[in-house]
Amino acid sequence: MGTYLVGILKDTPMLSVIGVAELMHAASAMGSENYHYLEPFTLVGLIFLLISLPTAGLLRLFERRLRLALVLLSQKVADAGDSRWSRIC
């Protein structure tokens, strides 16, 4: 789920203004003006790193909480099943 969300983040315009294609095109245009491509492309990489890392961290936190909720739910179901079985016996 997290990989899918990060892919969507990279493929669609972020905040309805900036997208990967737009930033890469701007970096290429800036690099072609003075033949210095390293700086603009490094800046683009840092921008997406700053966006992707917090998103991945939030997704990891969400997945942990979801996993914990599922474990607790399965324990409740198992406990309820045990009590039903003891009533029958």
Side-chain angles (χ1 to χ4, degrees), residues 27-87:
S28 179
M30 288 175 62
S32 66
E33 288 178 9
N34 54 13
Y35 301 108
H36 290 248
Y37 289 95
L38 181 64
E39 294 87 357
F41 285 114
T42 303
L43 186 59
V44 168
L46 287 174
I47 289 171
F48 283 105
L49 186 66
L50 290 174
I51 292 171
S52 297
L53 285 179
T55 304
L58 289 172
L59 286 170
R60 186 175 299 125
L61 180 66
F62 173 72
E63 288 173 353
R64 282 183 190 164
R65 288 185 180 211
L66 184 62
R67 188 177 311 123
L68 179 63
L70 289 174
V71 166
L72 292 175
L73 182 64
S74 66
Q75 287 175 353
K76 281 185 179 181
V77 169
D79 291 342
D82 290 342
S83 64
R84 288 181 193 161
W85 181 254
S86 62
R87 288 181 195 160

